[in-house]
């Protein structure tokens, strides 16, 4: 079995006709997507992660407008201080267990402006 890397992709997307997401009539919505990929993708991991996210959003009738961030998700490096239904770590676990893209909670433009991640890199013990 191939070992997996998990990628966190923060996206900005535009609803297409038929999209059922309608928070406040914003032009754009933001969501975190967790994408498990085989380590064998190597340097192609980021384009593959983005492609999978794009397909997942399109299935929900959303057009990917921008990738704000795409980083390898290592749980020990992330401190989740958001008030959402599921923590980043819960979503990450769900993505790895399902071996599929898992989307977090959609945010409006107004909430995105207030939304900040705290990313903390900790030194490894030697």
């Amino acid at each position: 079995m191939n070992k997996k890397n998990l990628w966190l992709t923060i996206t900005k997307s535009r609803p297409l006709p038929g999209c059922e997401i309608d928070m406040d009539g914003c032009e754009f919505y933001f969501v975190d997507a967790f994408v498990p990929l085989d380590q064998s993708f190597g340097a192609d991991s980021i384009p593959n992660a983005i492609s999978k996210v794009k397909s997942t959003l399109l299935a929900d009738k959303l057009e990917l407008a921008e990738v704000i961030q795409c980083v390898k998700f290592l749980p020990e490096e992330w401190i989740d201080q958001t008030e959402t239904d599921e923590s980043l770590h819960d979503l990450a676990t769900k993505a790895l267990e399902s071996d599929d893209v898992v989307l977090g909670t959609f945010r409006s433009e107004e909430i995105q402006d207030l939304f900040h991640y705290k990313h903390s890199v900790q030194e490894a013990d030697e």
Side-chain angles (χ1 to χ4, degrees):
M1 183 166 92
N2 289 337
K3 193 158 174 161
K4 300 285 181 179
N5 284 328
L6 189 62
W7 293 85
L8 170 58
T9 305
I10 303 170
T11 66
K12 175 180 179 180
S13 56
R14 178 181 297 108
L16 297 170
C19 179
E20 295 183 13
I21 298 169
D22 185 20
M23 288 182 218
D24 58 7
C26 285
E27 183 180 357
F28 296 102
Y29 296 109
F30 299 81
V31 71
D32 307 328
F34 289 86
V35 185
L37 291 175
D38 289 339
Q39 286 182 349
S40 63
F41 279 109
D44 293 326
S45 292
I46 291 175
N48 275 283
I50 293 169
S51 177
K52 284 184 170 236
V53 169
K54 186 176 181 178
S55 295
T56 300
L57 290 170
L58 199 52
D60 287 336
K61 296 188 169 68
L62 290 155
E63 175 185 39
L64 179 63
E66 181 180 343
V67 174
I68 296 168
Q69 188 173 28
C70 186
V71 296
K72 191 184 297 185
F73 184 84
L74 301 171
E76 64 274 11
E77 292 182 353
W78 286 82
I79 299 169
D80 191 1
Q81 297 179 330
T82 58
E83 295 178 17
T84 57
D85 295 336
E86 292 182 281
S87 75
L88 292 174
H89 296 95
D90 292 340
L91 294 167
T93 299
K94 190 183 287 187
L96 285 171
E97 288 174 352
S98 68
D99 196 28
D100 202 3
V101 175
V102 171
L103 300 177
T105 303
F106 284 90
R107 301 179 294 277
S108 68
E109 291 177 274
E110 180 181 340
I111 292 178
Q112 180 66 19
D113 288 342
L114 302 171
F115 200 84
H116 299 284
Y117 278 119
K118 182 176 221 169
H119 187 243
S120 171
V121 178
Q122 299 180 11
E123 292 184 30
D125 293 334
E126 293 187 33

